[in-house]
Amino acid sequence: MKQQAITMDAHPCFVDPATLNDAPHARLAELRPITPLVQFGPNQYLVLRAPHVELLLTDPRTRQVEGSEFVALKQIPDGITARFISDLFLFSNGGMHRKKRGLFARSFSHRAMQDLRGQVRSIADGIVANLPRGESIDFVDRVAARVPADMIAAILGLPEDDTKHFSRLVYDVALAFAPVYPHDQHDKIENATKDLFHYVKGQLRLRLAASSDDMLSDLVADWQVEQDIPFNSLAFQVVGLIIAGSDTTRTAFAMLIAMLLERPTDWAALRFDPALIPGAVAEGMRYEPSVATIPRLTTAPLELDGNEVPAGVALSLSTMSAMRDPAVYANPEQFDIRRTDHPRFHPVFGIGPHRCIGEMLARIEMEESLAAILDGAPEIELQTRPRMMGFGGIRQITPMKVRIP
C-alpha cells in the first residue's frame, strides 16, 4: 500500500469519526499502514501505530490530559459531569494525581487483590449456579455486569442490593468518556452523574457518622486526618473508581465469552486445561479492548515517522489499533489463546504513573468468572453475538443472548 504523508499544519488528514465507529477494526487496519496518525476533531488526533503508542505513553514531551482540558476539548456543558471529570484523579498530574490515586493504592495492591481471588470465585460460582436453564438470557446483564459490580460493592462496603441501581448509573456516566462527547445524550449523562455522586456522598456520610470494616470507612478516616482535598472531591474519586471497576470489565468479559463460544476448539481446550485461562483473558483484552484509547497532550513538538506534531495537541493513543499492529504481534487478526507475544505490560491498562489501578482485580474477575462458567455451565450456547461499539474511550456493548441447556 502506498505511503501517504500527512502534515499538522494547513491540511491535516481528517477522518470522520462516524466512519471509525461503523467498523473500527477494519478502518484502523486500513489507515495504519498509510499514516501514523489522523485528525478526528478540532485539535484532536488518533495515534495508530504500536511503537508510537508505546513511546508516547511515557514520552516526557507528552502528559496526561487534565480534567478541565478534557472538558474544554470535548465541549462538555457546565454542570456536575464537567465538575466530576475536572476533579477526577484519572485526569490529573504530578502531586495532585499522586495524592488522589494514593487514596486507593493500598487497597488495590497486588497482594490485596490476590487475597480476594477466592471471594471473586465464590461470587461468580453463585451467579452461574442461579442462572435459569433452558431459556434465553442476556449474558451481559445477568453475568458480565454482576461480577465486577458485586466485587466493587464488596470492596467498598456498599450494600449488595444497591448494585443494580449504581450499575445503571455507571453505564450512563461512562458515555462521557467517548472520544466524541455525545451531546444528544447529555441530559442522561448529567442526571446519572448527579445521582451517582449523591449516592456515593451519602455512603461516605454514613461512615462519618459510624465507621464500618470496609474501604469507604478507611477512606473517610484517612480524609478526616489529612483533609487534603474537599469532601466533594473525595466523593468524585470514589465515583471514578466505581465506573472503572464496573463498566470496562463488564464489556471485556462478555466479549471474551462470546469469542470463545464462537471457537469450540478453544472452549474445549479451556475445559481440559484451566492453565490456559489467563492467556485467554489477555488475548480477549487485546482482540476486543473495552478501553480503546489513552489520552495525552503534547507539551513540546515531536515527530512521528516524518510527521511534525506541535505542542498543545490532544492525542488519543489507540491501543485498539496498536494491539493489532503486525509490527508487534504475529498474525494480529487471529484470536489466539496461546499467544506468546503479549508485551510484559498489557497495553490496555496503560503504563507509567497512570497505569490502571484496578488491573489485577479486572484480571482476577475475568479469570475466575471464566473458570466458574467452564465448571458450572460448560454447555452454554451463544445465540446472539454482541457487538462492541466505538473506536475510543470506554466502548459500549450490545446485548448478548445465551442459553444454558
Side-chain angles (χ1 to χ4, degrees):
M1 188 176 293
K2 184 179 179 181
Q3 295 293 307
Q4 175 185 322
I6 71 170
T7 60
M8 303 295 292
D9 45 27
H11 302 288
C13 178
F14 181 84
V15 174
D16 186 344
T19 67
L20 291 169
N21 275 323
D22 288 343
H25 284 298
R27 189 72 175 116
L28 293 172
E30 176 187 359
L31 291 167
R32 191 170 49 242
I34 300 173
T35 177
L37 76 171
V38 294
Q39 182 180 4
F40 67 92
N43 209 32
Q44 298 178 71
Y45 297 86
L46 189 68
V47 179
L48 304 174
R49 295 174 181 167
H52 297 148
V53 169
E54 181 180 358
L55 168 72
L56 294 172
L57 281 169
T58 56
D59 193 300
R61 295 168 296 177
T62 72
R63 62 165 170 79
Q64 177 73 331
V65 175
E66 297 278 352
S68 58
E69 294 167 337
F70 187 91
V71 168
L73 195 66
K74 308 299 180 181
Q75 298 182 325
I76 301 175
D78 186 35
I80 193 166
T81 304
R83 294 196 300 276
F84 160 58
I85 292 175
S86 297
D87 202 329
L88 186 58
F89 74 89
L90 174 65
F91 296 111
S92 61
N93 290 286
M96 186 54 68
H97 175 256
R98 289 190 294 272
K99 187 186 300 293
K100 292 178 178 178
R101 181 186 170 99
L103 294 167
F104 311 106
R106 181 177 57 191
S107 297
F108 282 84
S109 69
H110 186 281
R111 175 62 181 272
M113 292 300 97
Q114 287 292 359
D115 289 345
L116 291 175
R117 188 177 285 272
Q119 185 179 358
V120 174
R121 180 57 189 271
S122 178
I123 288 174
D125 282 339
I127 290 170
V128 172
N130 290 320
L131 291 175
R133 266 55 179 174
E135 64 181 77
S136 182
I137 61 170
D138 181 4
F139 184 88
V140 177
D141 182 58
R142 298 292 293 270
V143 182
R146 287 196 55 197
V147 174
D150 286 1
M151 273 310 301
I152 201 67
I155 291 170
L156 293 175
L158 301 174
E160 185 177 338
D161 292 343
D162 289 356
T163 56
K164 272 196 172 182
H165 169 67
F166 73 67
S167 293
R168 284 193 296 269
L169 299 176
V170 161
Y171 308 147
D172 288 344
V173 178
L175 295 170
F177 298 96
V180 178
Y181 187 77
H183 287 273
D184 59 332
Q185 301 189 67
H186 175 68
D187 288 346
K188 178 170 73 171
I189 296 170
E190 188 78 351
N191 289 333
T193 305
K194 178 181 178 181
D195 289 349
L196 189 55
F197 169 72
H198 285 298
Y199 170 75
V200 168
K201 193 172 178 180
Q203 290 292 324
L204 291 171
R205 289 199 181 282
L206 288 175
R207 273 71 177 182
L208 281 173
S211 179
S212 301
D213 184 20
D214 56 42
M215 183 176 168
L216 288 187
S217 295
D218 292 341
L219 284 173
V220 168
D222 291 344
W223 177 82
Q224 286 180 299
V225 173
E226 298 288 343
Q227 296 198 22
D228 288 335
I229 60 175
F231 188 72
N232 281 355
S233 180
L234 178 65
F236 278 143
Q237 309 319 311
V238 176
V239 169
L241 187 71
I242 292 174
I243 293 171
S246 302
D247 196 28
T248 56
T249 305
R250 171 185 73 119
T251 53
F253 183 63
M255 283 305 303
L256 171 65
I257 296 299
M259 291 186 291
L260 290 173
L261 291 177
E262 289 178 319
R263 297 165 172 81
T265 301
D266 286 344
W267 190 257
L270 289 164
R271 290 182 63 184
F272 178 75
D273 185 6
L276 294 173
I277 288 176
V281 168
E283 180 68 346
M285 292 188 292
R286 179 195 74 87
Y287 200 77
E288 280 291 5
S290 56
V291 179
T293 53
I294 299 172
R296 302 290 288 177
L297 189 79
T298 59
T299 58
L302 54 89
E303 181 183 291
L304 301 180
D305 289 349
N307 294 271
E308 297 296 326
V309 182
V313 167
L315 302 177
S316 289
L317 308 183
S318 179
T319 52
M320 186 175 176
S321 174
M323 290 189 294
R324 293 204 187 186
D325 190 338
V328 176
Y329 298 92
N331 302 314
E333 298 299 327
Q334 179 180 338
F335 179 85
D336 182 4
I337 64 173
R338 295 177 175 83
R339 182 175 293 279
T340 59
D341 54 3
H342 289 291
R344 179 184 175 193
F345 298 108
H346 202 298
V348 78
F349 294 109
I351 202 165
H354 285 86
R355 188 165 178 83
C356 176
I357 197 170
E359 173 185 356
M360 184 53 61
L361 177 61
R363 286 180 181 271
I364 290 171
E365 286 174 343
M366 287 193 280
E367 290 170 6
E368 294 303 325
S369 297
L370 174 54
I373 294 170
L374 289 165
D375 288 346
E379 306 301 328
I380 187 172
E381 303 164 354
L382 180 64
Q383 296 180 310
T384 304
R385 189 189 196 278
R387 186 165 65 92
M388 194 93 87
M389 300 178 295
F391 69 92
I394 299 176
R395 302 173 74 200
Q396 304 298 306
I397 193 169
T398 60
M400 169 182 167
K401 296 296 183 181
V402 300
R403 177 181 176 275
I404 303 173

